[in-house]
Amino acid sequence: MLNPQDQPRERVLLLVDDETNILAALQRLFRPAGYRVLTANSGMAGLEQLANTPADVIISDQRMPGMLGVDFLRQAKVLYPDSIRIMLSGYTELQSVTAAVNEGAIFKFLTKPWDDELLRGQVAEAFRIKEIADDNARLNRELRVANEQLAVANRELERMVRDREEQIALDLASLRIARELLQYVPLPVLGVDDQGMVAFSNALAESVFQGRGELLGAMLAEVAPELAPDAKGVWPAAVEIKGVRYQLASHAMGNISASRGNVLVLIR
């Protein structure tokens, strides 16, 4: 299925001249090119045509009753600035034409009688310029939309990062409070991660295992092998440490938090 942008564009050409035979000759000249050709016999009629069907390229005579070609093209530029405007005239009123060219109201000035091949080539070039300008305008719109969407995504990402940082700060504060509270529990308490490493020990646990080296960061099986679970992952119900019997309470972490591992409590 073709993308709508890949479909051939309709090229609309407006011819404005007060001489019927000139309009007919121009229509015959451009009909084989496949343009949609509109005609008007005066500047006012040309503006009415543009109001109904905006044209990509406009060719206008200079001397017409009611409104000169330069005045018509000036108004066309104001109302339809994206159009490509060409003057085709047998009168070379250089002052008014030069002023219109300098203002950008006229893209090209061609004289009558015209050379068919030259005129066809100039009009084809005008359509190419118009289509390139349209493509650039479309790409600019798409780029602007993409930049706006990217800005929205960046703001959302910044908000998420900010929320995450705030949550981390809250979690750290909660962790510090929990660690401090566990220091005052009148029982030896150890925290072991899911790899078997000691991640927490309160003061009473340190005293129970005193002389075995640093508990924090050590593997439980090395510093307190009597507490380690068996091959099936079952924790012992009771242990003896330095001649003292303890009941071992093991609680798996993760029920109400994202923590993993176990909390071990020794009850004498």
Side-chain angles (χ1 to χ4, degrees), residues 188 190 220 226-229 235-239 246-251 263-267:
L190 291 172
L220 182 69
E226 55 270 75
L227 301 184
W235 297 90
V239 296
Y246 294 93
Q247 184 182 359
L248 177 63
S250 171
H251 302 279
V263 173
L264 308 178
V265 181
L266 295 171
I267 303 171

Side-chain angles (χ1 to χ4, degrees), residues 178-192:
R179 285 179 176 274
E180 186 172 355
L181 289 173
L182 288 173
Q183 292 296 340
Y184 296 105
V185 173
L187 296 168
V189 180
L190 291 172
V192 183

Side-chain angles (χ1 to χ4, degrees), residues 65-183:
M67 180 184 294
L68 292 176
V70 289
D71 296 326
F72 161 66
L73 292 177
R74 282 193 180 102
Q75 291 196 41
K77 178 197 173 186
V78 172
L79 297 173
Y80 310 97
D82 295 333
S83 62
I84 304 296
R85 298 163 296 278
I86 298 173
M87 176 166 286
L88 180 64
S89 177
Y91 300 94
T92 54
E93 298 170 346
L94 292 179
Q95 185 174 358
S96 60
V97 171
T98 302
V101 170
N102 291 338
E103 295 168 10
I106 297 176
F107 169 69
K108 292 277 187 177
F109 177 80
L110 304 174
T111 59
K112 296 177 182 177
W114 62 83
D115 177 275
D116 286 355
E117 289 303 317
L118 176 62
L119 184 55
R120 271 197 295 259
Q122 294 287 352
V123 170
E125 178 65 15
F127 275 112
R128 283 194 292 270
I129 292 172
K130 174 65 167 59
E131 287 163 2
I132 290 172
D134 289 346
D135 285 340
N136 288 337
R138 176 180 56 80
L139 291 173
N140 284 333
R141 288 193 299 271
E142 292 175 358
L143 180 61
R144 187 163 56 250
V145 170
N147 285 337
E148 291 171 356
Q149 292 173 342
L150 182 60
V152 170
N154 284 337
R155 288 195 295 271
E156 179 63 17
L157 181 60
E158 289 172 358
R159 183 193 65 77
M160 292 173 62
V161 170
R162 188 167 55 251
D163 291 347
R164 182 61 178 162
E165 289 174 345
E166 292 174 357
Q167 185 61 49
I168 290 173
L170 290 173
D171 291 345
L172 287 174
S174 298
L175 179 61
R176 293 190 187 99
I177 293 171
R179 285 179 176 274
E180 186 172 355
L181 289 173
L182 288 173
Q183 292 296 340

